[in-house]
Amino acid sequence: MTTSKKLKIFNDPIYGFITIPSPLVFDLIAHPYFQRLRRISQMGLSYLVYPGAHHTRFHHALGSMHLMQKAVQVLRFKGVEITNEEENGLYCAILLHDIGHGPFSHAMEHSIVESTNHEYISLQFMETLNRTFNGSLNTAISIFKGLHQKPFLIQLVSSQLDMDRLDYLKRDSFYTGVAEGNINSERLISMLNVIDGHLVVEEKAIYSVEKFLIARRFMYWQVYLHKTGIVAEQLLIRVLKRAKEILDDEQLQVCSEPLRFFMKNRIEREDFDKNVLDTFAQLDDIDILSAIKTWRKNDDFVLSNLSEMLLNRRLLKVKLKNKPIDNAKFERYIIEVKENYSLSDHEASYFVFTGEIENRAYNQNRQHINILKKNGKLIDVAKASDQLNLKALSNTVTKYYICYPKDSV
């Protein structure tokens, strides 16, 4: 395979020029599997809340790789040994870490392919690409799977302070306009170090780490778990569920060929062979939106109304509570929707439903963010911080929601 010499840099609105570090990385970016990420929304349906949030997984993957280049440069300067093979493995692992996302990213995580998450599909893509590139991704795959002998390489790709999080917080903050999510990724990266094979942060950056964790909390409540975004994503899930439930083979002809395949077949993890992977690789946001535009004219009341709600942003009303939703209130809404629209219990459940959301900015039960003190000791950031609220960020906050039509009482 020959590499084109035309394009060696990308111009990114966050970081400026992003350079492509190797011919292998260039060829991976040029591959149709990766180019598909240009058509996968980074933040699902969040653009219905924040109109600027139209950036893609393609943007995010390149940004994460750029930050990884900065991290490698910093760690090498501090005397940390990273071989050329490990360096390339880091770039490939972070570049491909989200390649398994389906249309609208997390919004449809289990709708297209049930009981299979995007990490598993990402691994299938990586292993297929590894065969295409004659084993060049062996190191990247061992890092991605958490099997590499150097833990800090794994932590740079997947931990509570990895290049993935450093990019998506800064990028999503920029495109949504939510300034509270903006973090100083350069400062954090410049303070990284490695002790006993594990990634640590030097004490001088403790306030930057605090800002990072607080920004993450803000972004989850204000953006990722925004109640309007939640109801939009739930409607999207229900549109596909209803279409699978009622449409026959002839009606499914309006779908694109790859979408039709996943609508007609229940694909489990063990079914994910090369043919299924190639079909999945042809799916993107456009397939889903095109189908929904057709389904809004369907004779089925449920499918047509759900589709109309999404397309024209006439969403269900959503209320967020600190306590579980009262069952009597839920039943009252169900009865009203059934009577107003002559629906069955099952049909009404598409328009009235409950759920819960969780937010924990820092998980102390997971791999810690360790601060390297000047005396050489390591201490968990929640203990090192003089901010009382950092310990509070380690607690899981659960909120409960109910969705129902706006014309209900």
Side-chain angles (χ1 to χ4, degrees):
M1 187 178 290
T2 57
T3 302
S4 167
K5 294 183 179 179
K6 284 184 181 177
L7 182 63
K8 295 296 181 188
I9 57 171
F10 287 94
N11 196 349
D12 183 71
I14 311 293
Y15 311 117
F17 290 121
I18 293 177
T19 59
I20 298 176
S22 70
L24 173 61
V25 169
F26 184 98
D27 290 340
L28 287 171
I29 292 171
H31 195 282
Y33 283 174
F34 191 82
Q35 287 294 313
R36 163 185 164 272
L37 297 183
R38 292 182 185 270
R39 305 184 301 278
I40 302 288
S41 170
Q42 165 76 5
M43 294 179 62
L45 291 163
S46 291
Y47 62 79
L48 293 177
V49 184
Y50 300 100
H54 273 288
H55 54 305
T56 66
R57 287 280 155 187
F58 186 88
H59 287 126
H60 167 55
L62 291 178
S64 300
M65 184 194 68
H66 172 75
L67 294 183
M68 188 66 81
Q69 289 173 272
K70 298 286 185 187
V72 168
Q73 188 180 2
V74 164
L75 292 176
R76 277 183 171 162
F77 179 77
K78 293 179 180 180
V80 178
E81 186 190 359
I82 301 173
T83 67
N84 290 338
E85 183 184 324
E86 289 164 351
E87 178 186 13
N88 230 21
L90 281 171
Y91 297 154
C92 294
I94 198 67
L95 187 74
L96 303 174
H97 77 283
D98 274 343
I99 199 171
H101 267 298
F104 293 102
S105 296
H106 292 285
M108 306 195 74
E109 182 94 7
H110 302 293
S111 296
I112 300 291
V113 182
E114 297 169 64
S115 73
T116 306
N117 58 27
H118 74 273
E119 289 92 352
Y120 176 80
I121 301 173
S122 291
L123 182 58
Q124 305 313 302
F125 274 122
M126 289 173 77
E127 289 178 342
T128 301
L129 287 167
N130 197 30
R131 290 189 287 273
T132 303
F133 292 99
N134 303 315
S136 300
L137 300 181
N138 284 337
T139 303
I141 289 171
S142 74
I143 293 171
F144 183 80
K145 291 169 74 172
L147 301 175
H148 199 278
Q149 63 209 22
K150 292 185 177 179
F152 77 89
L153 299 180
I154 298 164
Q155 291 169 302
L156 284 167
V157 173
S158 180
S159 67
Q160 294 201 78
L161 189 64
D162 55 33
M163 299 307 107
D164 171 35
R165 293 185 184 195
L166 290 184
D167 180 78
Y168 77 63
L169 285 175
K170 195 170 184 70
R171 187 169 300 277
D172 296 349
S173 165
F174 176 86
Y175 279 99
T176 57
V178 177
E180 291 85 349
N182 193 15
I183 58 167
N184 192 342
S185 54
E186 287 201 8
R187 170 71 172 167
L188 285 164
I189 290 171
S190 69
M191 291 292 110
L192 292 178
N193 212 327
V194 173
I195 299 294
D196 296 329
H198 289 83
L199 202 63
V200 299
V201 184
E202 292 166 7
E203 188 176 16
K204 287 184 287 186
I206 188 165
Y207 298 116
S208 297
V209 176
E210 288 177 1
K211 169 76 162 55
F212 161 77
L213 292 173
I214 292 166
R216 190 163 183 266
R217 178 178 179 272
F218 282 149
M219 285 296 284
Y220 269 86
W221 283 136
Q222 275 187 256
V223 180
Y224 307 128
L225 298 177
H226 190 287
K227 64 178 186 177
T228 306
I230 286 168
V231 71
E233 291 190 355
Q234 287 298 320
L235 287 173
L236 183 61
I237 290 166
R238 281 163 167 74
V239 164
L240 246 75
K241 181 183 174 185
R242 184 60 173 176
K244 284 183 178 181
E245 189 175 83
I246 65 156
L247 298 183
D248 57 31
D249 286 353
E250 185 179 344
Q251 290 172 312
L252 285 174
Q253 292 303 313
V254 301
C255 299
S256 66
E257 192 176 330
L259 179 57
R260 191 161 64 246
F261 172 82
F262 287 101
M263 294 291 289
K264 291 172 67 175
N265 300 287
R266 182 184 172 91
I267 303 298
E268 303 286 355
R269 182 175 286 219
E270 57 270 18
D271 302 320
F272 236 90
D273 59 19
K274 178 69 164 59
N275 289 333
V276 172
L277 189 70
D278 284 341
T279 306
F280 184 85
Q282 296 172 50
L283 266 181
D284 53 51
D285 294 7
I286 298 164
D287 298 87
I288 305 300
L289 285 174
S290 177
I292 290 174
K293 286 174 74 175
T294 303
W295 291 339
R296 72 174 165 175
K297 296 179 181 176
N298 193 277
D299 292 337
D300 180 70
F301 178 88
V302 175
L303 184 59
S304 61
N305 274 272
L306 291 176
S307 300
E308 183 74 23
M309 285 176 179
L310 273 176
L311 288 173
N312 294 321
R313 203 191 178 277
R314 293 173 182 157
L315 307 174
L316 297 171
K317 189 171 181 61
V318 55
K319 285 187 177 177
L320 214 53
K321 304 285 186 181
N322 292 322
K323 295 180 179 179
I325 303 301
D326 178 55
N327 198 50
K329 183 179 287 187
F330 172 76
E331 290 297 330
R332 192 170 76 246
Y333 285 130
I334 283 281
I335 291 168
E336 185 174 340
V337 168
K338 280 170 59 182
E339 290 176 351
N340 284 353
Y341 303 106
S342 302
L343 302 177
S344 66
D345 281 344
H346 177 64
E347 289 169 332
S349 70
Y350 279 97
F351 299 100
V352 181
F353 49 86
T354 60
E356 61 184 66
I357 52 177
E358 290 184 349
N359 187 2
R360 177 160 60 172
Y362 181 56
N363 186 352
Q364 284 189 288
N365 298 323
R366 203 179 165 217
Q367 210 168 49
H368 294 187
I369 298 176
N370 282 323
I371 302 297
L372 176 63
K373 305 277 283 185
K374 287 176 183 172
N375 61 9
K377 289 185 178 179
L378 296 177
I379 185 168
D380 182 270
V381 66
K383 294 178 181 175
S385 169
D386 56 8
Q387 296 284 332
L388 293 174
N389 61 357
L390 212 56
K391 289 184 179 178
L393 294 186
S394 303
N395 299 325
T396 301
V397 178
T398 304
K399 293 188 178 182
Y400 305 86
Y401 64 85
I402 182 169
C403 302
Y404 55 91
K406 289 182 178 177
D407 52 5
S408 295
V409 292

Coordinates of all heavy atoms in Angstrom, one line a residue, residues 119-177:
E119 N -16.7 -0.5 22.7 CA -15.3 -0.9 23.0 C -15.0 -2.3 22.3 O -13.9 -2.5 21.7 CB -15.0 -1.0 24.5 CG -14.9 0.3 25.2 CD -16.2 0.7 25.8 OE1 -17.2 0.1 25.5 OE2 -16.2 1.8 26.5
Y120 N -16.0 -3.2 22.4 CA -15.8 -4.5 21.8 C -15.7 -4.4 20.3 O -14.9 -5.0 19.6 CB -17.0 -5.4 22.2 CG -16.9 -6.8 21.5 CD1 -16.1 -7.8 22.0 CD2 -17.7 -7.1 20.4 CE1 -16.0 -9.0 21.4 CE2 -17.6 -8.3 19.7 CZ -16.8 -9.3 20.2 OH -16.7 -10.5 19.6
I121 N -16.6 -3.5 19.7 CA -16.6 -3.4 18.2 C -15.3 -2.6 17.8 O -14.8 -3.0 16.7 CB -17.9 -2.6 17.8 CG1 -19.1 -3.3 18.2 CG2 -17.9 -2.4 16.3 CD1 -20.4 -2.6 18.0
S122 N -14.8 -1.7 18.6 CA -13.6 -1.1 18.3 C -12.4 -2.1 18.2 O -11.6 -2.0 17.3 CB -13.2 0.0 19.4 OG -14.1 1.1 19.4
L123 N -12.4 -3.0 19.1 CA -11.4 -4.1 19.1 C -11.5 -4.9 17.8 O -10.5 -5.3 17.2 CB -11.5 -5.0 20.3 CG -10.5 -6.1 20.5 CD1 -9.1 -5.5 20.5 CD2 -10.8 -6.9 21.8
Q124 N -12.8 -5.2 17.4 CA -12.9 -6.0 16.2 C -12.4 -5.2 14.9 O -11.7 -5.8 14.1 CB -14.4 -6.3 15.9 CG -15.1 -7.0 17.1 CD -14.3 -8.2 17.6 OE1 -14.0 -9.1 16.9 NE2 -14.0 -8.1 18.9
F125 N -12.6 -3.9 14.9 CA -12.1 -3.1 13.8 C -10.5 -3.1 13.9 O -9.9 -3.3 12.9 CB -12.5 -1.7 14.0 CG -13.9 -1.4 13.3 CD1 -14.9 -0.8 14.1 CD2 -14.1 -1.6 12.0 CE1 -16.1 -0.6 13.5 CE2 -15.3 -1.3 11.4 CZ -16.3 -0.8 12.1
M126 N -10.0 -3.0 15.1 CA -8.5 -3.0 15.2 C -7.9 -4.3 14.8 O -6.8 -4.3 14.1 CB -8.1 -2.6 16.7 CG -8.5 -1.2 17.1 SD -8.2 -0.9 18.8 CE -6.4 -0.7 18.9
E127 N -8.5 -5.4 15.2 CA -7.9 -6.7 14.8 C -8.0 -6.9 13.3 O -7.1 -7.5 12.7 CB -8.6 -7.8 15.6 CG -8.2 -7.8 17.1 CD -8.9 -8.8 17.9 OE1 -9.9 -9.3 17.5 OE2 -8.4 -9.1 19.0
T128 N -9.1 -6.4 12.7 CA -9.2 -6.6 11.2 C -8.2 -5.7 10.5 O -7.5 -6.1 9.6 CB -10.7 -6.2 10.8 OG1 -11.6 -7.0 11.4 CG2 -10.8 -6.3 9.3
L129 N -8.0 -4.5 11.0 CA -7.0 -3.6 10.4 C -5.6 -4.1 10.7 O -4.7 -3.9 9.8 CB -7.1 -2.2 11.1 CG -8.3 -1.3 10.6 CD1 -8.5 -0.1 11.6 CD2 -8.2 -0.9 9.2
N130 N -5.4 -4.8 11.8 CA -4.1 -5.4 12.1 C -3.7 -6.4 11.0 O -2.6 -6.5 10.6 CB -4.1 -6.0 13.5 CG -2.7 -6.3 14.0 OD1 -1.8 -5.6 13.7 ND2 -2.6 -7.3 14.8
R131 N -4.7 -7.2 10.6 CA -4.5 -8.2 9.5 C -4.2 -7.5 8.2 O -3.3 -7.9 7.4 CB -5.6 -9.1 9.4 CG -5.8 -10.1 10.5 CD -6.8 -11.2 10.3 NE -8.2 -10.6 10.3 CZ -8.9 -10.5 11.5 NH1 -8.4 -10.9 12.6 NH2 -10.1 -10.1 11.4
T132 N -4.9 -6.4 7.9 CA -4.7 -5.6 6.7 C -3.3 -5.0 6.7 O -2.6 -5.0 5.6 CB -5.7 -4.4 6.6 OG1 -7.0 -5.0 6.7 CG2 -5.5 -3.7 5.3
F133 N -2.8 -4.5 7.9 CA -1.5 -3.9 7.9 C -0.4 -4.8 8.5 O 0.6 -4.4 9.1 CB -1.6 -2.6 8.8 CG -2.4 -1.5 8.1 CD1 -3.7 -1.3 8.4 CD2 -1.8 -0.7 7.1 CE1 -4.5 -0.3 7.8 CE2 -2.6 0.3 6.5 CZ -3.9 0.5 6.8
N134 N -0.6 -6.1 8.3 CA 0.5 -7.1 8.6 C 1.0 -7.1 10.0 O 2.2 -7.1 10.2 CB 1.6 -7.0 7.6 CG 1.1 -7.1 6.1 OD1 0.3 -8.0 5.8 ND2 1.6 -6.2 5.3
G135 N 0.1 -7.0 11.0 CA 0.6 -7.1 12.4 C 1.1 -5.8 13.0 O 1.6 -5.8 14.1
S136 N 1.0 -4.7 12.2 CA 1.5 -3.4 12.7 C 0.8 -2.8 13.9 O 1.3 -1.9 14.6 CB 1.4 -2.3 11.6 OG 2.1 -2.7 10.5
L137 N -0.4 -3.4 14.2 CA -1.2 -2.9 15.4 C -1.1 -3.8 16.6 O -1.9 -3.6 17.6 CB -2.6 -2.7 15.0 CG -3.0 -1.7 13.8 CD1 -4.4 -1.7 13.6 CD2 -2.4 -0.3 14.2
N138 N -0.1 -4.7 16.6 CA 0.0 -5.6 17.8 C 0.2 -4.9 19.1 O -0.5 -5.2 20.1 CB 1.2 -6.6 17.6 CG 0.8 -7.7 16.6 OD1 -0.3 -8.0 16.3 ND2 1.9 -8.3 16.0
T139 N 1.1 -3.9 19.1 CA 1.3 -3.1 20.3 C 0.1 -2.3 20.7 O -0.3 -2.2 21.9 CB 2.6 -2.2 20.2 OG1 3.7 -3.0 19.8 CG2 2.9 -1.5 21.4
A140 N -0.5 -1.7 19.7 CA -1.7 -0.9 20.0 C -2.8 -1.7 20.6 O -3.5 -1.3 21.5 CB -2.2 -0.2 18.6
I141 N -3.0 -2.9 20.1 CA -4.1 -3.8 20.6 C -3.8 -4.2 22.0 O -4.7 -4.3 22.9 CB -4.2 -5.0 19.7 CG1 -4.9 -4.5 18.3 CG2 -5.1 -6.1 20.3 CD1 -5.0 -5.6 17.2
S142 N -2.5 -4.5 22.3 CA -2.2 -4.9 23.7 C -2.4 -3.8 24.7 O -2.8 -4.0 25.8 CB -0.7 -5.4 23.8 OG 0.2 -4.4 23.7
I143 N -2.1 -2.5 24.2 CA -2.4 -1.4 25.1 C -3.9 -1.2 25.2 O -4.4 -1.0 26.4 CB -1.8 -0.1 24.4 CG1 -0.2 -0.2 24.5 CG2 -2.2 1.2 25.1 CD1 0.5 0.9 23.7
F144 N -4.6 -1.3 24.1 CA -6.1 -1.1 24.2 C -6.8 -2.1 25.1 O -7.7 -1.8 25.8 CB -6.6 -1.2 22.7 CG -8.1 -0.9 22.6 CD1 -8.6 0.4 22.7 CD2 -9.0 -2.0 22.5 CE1 -10.0 0.6 22.6 CE2 -10.4 -1.7 22.5 CZ -10.9 -0.4 22.5
K145 N -6.3 -3.3 25.0 CA -6.9 -4.4 25.8 C -6.4 -4.4 27.3 O -6.8 -5.2 28.1 CB -6.6 -5.8 25.2 CG -7.3 -6.0 23.9 CD -6.8 -7.2 23.1 CE -7.2 -8.5 23.8 NZ -6.8 -9.7 22.9
G146 N -5.5 -3.5 27.6 CA -5.0 -3.4 29.0 C -4.0 -4.5 29.3 O -3.8 -4.8 30.5
L147 N -3.3 -5.0 28.3 CA -2.4 -6.2 28.6 C -0.9 -5.8 28.5 O -0.1 -6.7 28.7 CB -2.7 -7.3 27.6 CG -4.2 -7.9 27.6 CD1 -4.3 -8.9 26.4 CD2 -4.5 -8.5 28.9
H148 N -0.6 -4.6 28.1 CA 0.8 -4.2 27.9 C 1.5 -4.2 29.3 O 1.0 -3.9 30.3 CB 0.9 -2.9 27.3 CG 2.2 -2.6 26.6 ND1 3.3 -2.2 27.4 CD2 2.7 -2.7 25.4 CE1 4.4 -2.1 26.6 NE2 4.0 -2.4 25.3
Q149 N 2.8 -4.6 29.2 CA 3.6 -4.7 30.4 C 3.9 -3.4 31.1 O 4.3 -3.4 32.3 CB 4.9 -5.5 30.1 CG 5.8 -4.7 29.1 CD 6.7 -5.6 28.3 OE1 6.4 -6.8 28.1 NE2 7.8 -5.1 27.8
K150 N 3.8 -2.3 30.4 CA 4.0 -1.0 31.0 C 2.7 -0.3 31.3 O 2.0 0.2 30.3 CB 4.8 -0.1 30.0 CG 6.3 -0.6 29.8 CD 7.0 0.4 28.9 CE 8.5 0.0 28.8 NZ 9.2 1.0 27.9
P151 N 2.2 -0.3 32.5 CA 0.9 0.2 32.9 C 0.7 1.6 32.4 O -0.5 2.0 32.0 CB 0.9 0.1 34.4 CG 1.9 -1.0 34.7 CD 3.0 -0.8 33.7
F152 N 1.7 2.5 32.4 CA 1.5 3.9 32.1 C 1.0 4.1 30.6 O 0.3 5.0 30.3 CB 2.7 4.8 32.4 CG 3.9 4.7 31.4 CD1 3.9 5.5 30.3 CD2 4.9 3.7 31.6 CE1 5.0 5.5 29.4 CE2 5.9 3.7 30.7 CZ 6.0 4.5 29.6
L153 N 1.4 3.2 29.8 CA 1.0 3.2 28.4 C -0.5 3.0 28.3 O -1.2 3.7 27.6 CB 1.7 2.2 27.5 CG 3.2 2.3 27.4 CD1 3.8 1.2 26.5 CD2 3.7 3.7 26.8
I154 N -1.0 2.1 29.1 CA -2.5 1.8 29.1 C -3.2 3.0 29.7 O -4.2 3.4 29.2 CB -2.7 0.5 30.0 CG1 -2.0 -0.7 29.3 CG2 -4.2 0.3 30.2 CD1 -1.9 -1.9 30.3
Q155 N -2.6 3.6 30.8 CA -3.2 4.7 31.5 C -3.3 5.9 30.6 O -4.3 6.7 30.7 CB -2.5 5.0 32.7 CG -2.6 4.0 33.8 CD -1.6 4.2 35.0 OE1 -0.4 4.2 34.8 NE2 -2.2 4.3 36.2
L156 N -2.4 6.1 29.7 CA -2.5 7.2 28.7 C -3.7 7.1 27.8 O -4.2 8.1 27.4 CB -1.2 7.3 27.9 CG 0.1 7.9 28.7 CD1 1.3 7.6 27.8 CD2 -0.1 9.4 28.9
V157 N -4.0 5.9 27.5 CA -5.2 5.6 26.6 C -6.5 5.5 27.4 O -7.5 6.0 26.9 CB -4.9 4.4 25.7 CG1 -6.2 4.0 24.9 CG2 -3.7 4.6 24.8
S158 N -6.4 4.8 28.5 CA -7.7 4.6 29.3 C -7.4 4.7 30.8 O -6.9 3.7 31.3 CB -8.3 3.2 28.9 OG -9.4 3.0 29.6
S159 N -7.8 5.8 31.4 CA -7.7 5.9 32.8 C -8.6 7.1 33.2 O -9.4 7.6 32.4 CB -6.3 6.2 33.3 OG -5.8 7.4 32.8
Q160 N -8.5 7.6 34.4 CA -9.3 8.7 34.8 C -8.7 10.1 34.4 O -9.3 11.1 34.7 CB -9.6 8.7 36.3 CG -10.4 7.5 36.7 CD -11.1 7.7 38.1 OE1 -12.1 8.4 38.2 NE2 -10.6 7.1 39.1
L161 N -7.5 10.0 33.9 CA -6.8 11.2 33.4 C -6.1 10.8 32.1 O -4.9 10.9 32.0 CB -5.9 11.8 34.4 CG -5.3 13.2 34.1 CD1 -6.4 14.2 34.1 CD2 -4.2 13.5 35.1
D162 N -6.9 10.4 31.1 CA -6.3 9.9 29.8 C -6.4 11.0 28.7 O -7.1 12.0 28.9 CB -6.9 8.6 29.4 CG -8.4 8.6 29.3 OD1 -8.9 9.7 28.9 OD2 -9.0 7.6 29.5
M163 N -5.8 10.7 27.6 CA -5.9 11.7 26.5 C -7.3 11.8 25.9 O -7.6 12.8 25.3 CB -4.8 11.3 25.4 CG -3.4 11.3 25.9 SD -2.9 12.8 26.7 CE -2.8 12.3 28.4
D164 N -8.0 10.7 26.0 CA -9.4 10.7 25.5 C -10.2 11.8 26.3 O -10.9 12.7 25.7 CB -10.0 9.3 25.7 CG -11.5 9.2 25.5 OD1 -12.0 9.9 24.6 OD2 -12.2 8.4 26.2
R165 N -10.2 11.7 27.6 CA -10.9 12.7 28.4 C -10.4 14.1 28.3 O -11.2 15.1 28.2 CB -10.9 12.3 29.9 CG -11.6 11.0 30.2 CD -11.7 10.6 31.6 NE -12.3 9.3 31.8 CZ -12.8 8.9 33.0 NH1 -12.6 9.6 34.1 NH2 -13.3 7.7 33.1
L166 N -9.1 14.2 28.2 CA -8.5 15.6 28.1 C -9.0 16.3 26.8 O -9.2 17.5 26.7 CB -7.0 15.5 28.1 CG -6.4 15.2 29.4 CD1 -4.8 15.3 29.3 CD2 -6.9 16.1 30.5
D167 N -9.2 15.4 25.7 CA -9.6 16.1 24.5 C -11.1 16.3 24.5 O -11.6 17.4 24.1 CB -9.3 15.2 23.2 CG -9.8 15.8 22.0 OD1 -9.1 16.8 21.5 OD2 -10.9 15.4 21.5
Y168 N -11.9 15.3 24.9 CA -13.4 15.5 24.7 C -13.9 16.6 25.6 O -14.9 17.3 25.2 CB -14.2 14.2 24.8 CG -14.5 13.5 26.1 CD1 -15.2 14.2 27.1 CD2 -14.0 12.2 26.4 CE1 -15.5 13.6 28.3 CE2 -14.3 11.6 27.6 CZ -15.1 12.3 28.5 OH -15.4 11.7 29.7
L169 N -13.4 16.8 26.8 CA -13.9 17.8 27.7 C -13.6 19.2 27.0 O -14.5 20.1 26.9 CB -13.2 17.8 29.0 CG -13.7 16.7 30.0 CD1 -12.9 16.7 31.3 CD2 -15.2 16.9 30.3
K170 N -12.4 19.4 26.6 CA -12.0 20.7 25.9 C -12.8 20.9 24.6 O -13.3 22.0 24.4 CB -10.5 20.7 25.7 CG -9.9 22.1 25.4 CD -8.4 22.0 25.4 CE -7.8 23.4 25.2 NZ -8.0 24.3 26.3
R171 N -12.9 19.8 23.8 CA -13.5 19.9 22.5 C -15.1 20.1 22.7 O -15.7 21.0 22.0 CB -13.3 18.7 21.7 CG -13.7 18.7 20.3 CD -13.2 17.5 19.5 NE -11.7 17.6 19.5 CZ -11.0 18.3 18.7 NH1 -11.5 19.1 17.8 NH2 -9.6 18.3 18.8
D172 N -15.7 19.4 23.5 CA -17.1 19.5 23.7 C -17.5 20.8 24.4 O -18.5 21.4 24.0 CB -17.7 18.3 24.6 CG -17.5 17.0 23.9 OD1 -17.1 16.9 22.7 OD2 -17.7 15.9 24.5
S173 N -16.6 21.3 25.2 CA -16.8 22.6 25.8 C -16.8 23.7 24.8 O -17.6 24.6 24.7 CB -15.7 22.9 26.9 OG -15.7 24.2 27.2
F174 N -15.8 23.6 23.8 CA -15.7 24.6 22.8 C -16.9 24.6 21.8 O -17.5 25.6 21.5 CB -14.4 24.2 22.0 CG -14.2 25.1 20.7 CD1 -13.5 26.3 20.8 CD2 -14.6 24.7 19.5 CE1 -13.3 27.1 19.7 CE2 -14.4 25.5 18.4 CZ -13.8 26.7 18.5
Y175 N -17.3 23.4 21.4 CA -18.4 23.3 20.4 C -19.8 23.6 21.0 O -20.7 24.0 20.3 CB -18.4 22.0 19.7 CG -17.4 21.9 18.6 CD1 -16.1 21.3 18.8 CD2 -17.6 22.5 17.3 CE1 -15.2 21.3 17.8 CE2 -16.7 22.5 16.3 CZ -15.5 21.9 16.5 OH -14.5 21.8 15.5
T176 N -20.0 23.3 22.3 CA -21.3 23.6 23.0 C -21.3 25.1 23.5 O -22.4 25.6 23.6 CB -21.5 22.7 24.2 OG1 -20.4 22.8 25.1 CG2 -21.7 21.3 23.7
G177 N -20.1 25.7 23.7 CA -20.1 27.0 24.3 C -20.2 27.0 25.8 O -20.4 28.1 26.4

